[in-house]
Amino acid sequence: MSISKSDYSKMTDAASPNSPVLKNCIKAFVFGGGICVFAEIVTELLERAGVGEKGLRLGAPAIIIVITALLTGIGVYDKIARHAGAGVIVPISGFANSVVAPALEFQHEGYVLGTAAQMFSIAGPVIVYGTASAVIYGFIYFILTR
């Protein structure tokens, strides 16, 4: 059975409806902004509690990571992500989710070959390429500002 490219294109267009782009953008903005506002509230609360500047820089992200990991673990984060779309890929929360979700998915294979081996299956490339990019950027910056 042979199908022409134009017929195939018509079939795929009919089978996949268009996404509500504006609605999705607004949801992503609201949810992503909400996560950032929450982080600012956490930072403000830590500051009022007398935490120093170094503690603020470490504490607020750590709290966001722990909350995201817990929400992923109990299955709430995925439900939020269905509605928020790209808004929950705010770097820290999205990264925490990308580490915890595969670890949970493969836990039935054991701690070493399941959880530990799969934990960075999604986040690993981000770490590798992010680190490599930082090294290259740092080298170029060093050369140009020397």
Side-chain angles (χ1 to χ4, degrees):
M1 182 174 159
S2 178
I3 299 174
S4 70
K5 288 183 180 182
S6 63
D7 288 340
Y8 182 77
S9 180
K10 289 176 188 176
M11 288 172 49
T12 57
D13 289 344
S16 57
N18 292 333
S19 298
V21 176
L22 182 61
K23 180 180 174 184
N24 290 346
C25 287
I26 291 170
K27 282 181 170 183
F29 178 79
V30 169
F31 278 90
I35 292 170
C36 294
V37 167
F38 179 73
E40 285 297 322
I41 291 169
V42 168
T43 302
E44 185 67 27
L45 291 173
L46 289 173
E47 188 174 27
R48 289 183 185 197
V51 175
E53 185 179 336
K54 187 175 182 180
L56 290 174
R57 287 185 278 154
L58 299 173
I63 290 170
I64 298 298
I65 289 168
V66 169
I67 290 172
T68 301
L70 288 172
L71 291 175
T72 300
I74 61 175
V76 173
Y77 197 83
D78 292 337
K79 292 176 184 174
I80 294 169
R82 281 191 205 111
H83 297 287
V88 293
I89 306 176
V90 174
I92 290 177
S93 60
F95 185 77
N97 176 261
S98 72
V99 170
V100 174
L104 290 173
E105 184 178 343
F106 291 96
Q107 70 183 353
H108 66 278
E109 294 181 17
Y111 290 119
V112 176
L113 297 176
T115 302
Q118 298 298 326
M119 188 180 296
F120 292 104
S121 62
I122 296 173
V126 174
I127 294 169
V128 170
Y129 290 113
T131 303
S133 298
V135 168
I136 291 168
Y137 175 80
F139 182 71
I140 293 170
Y141 182 79
F142 175 76
I143 297 295
L144 294 177
T145 58
R146 199 164 185 212

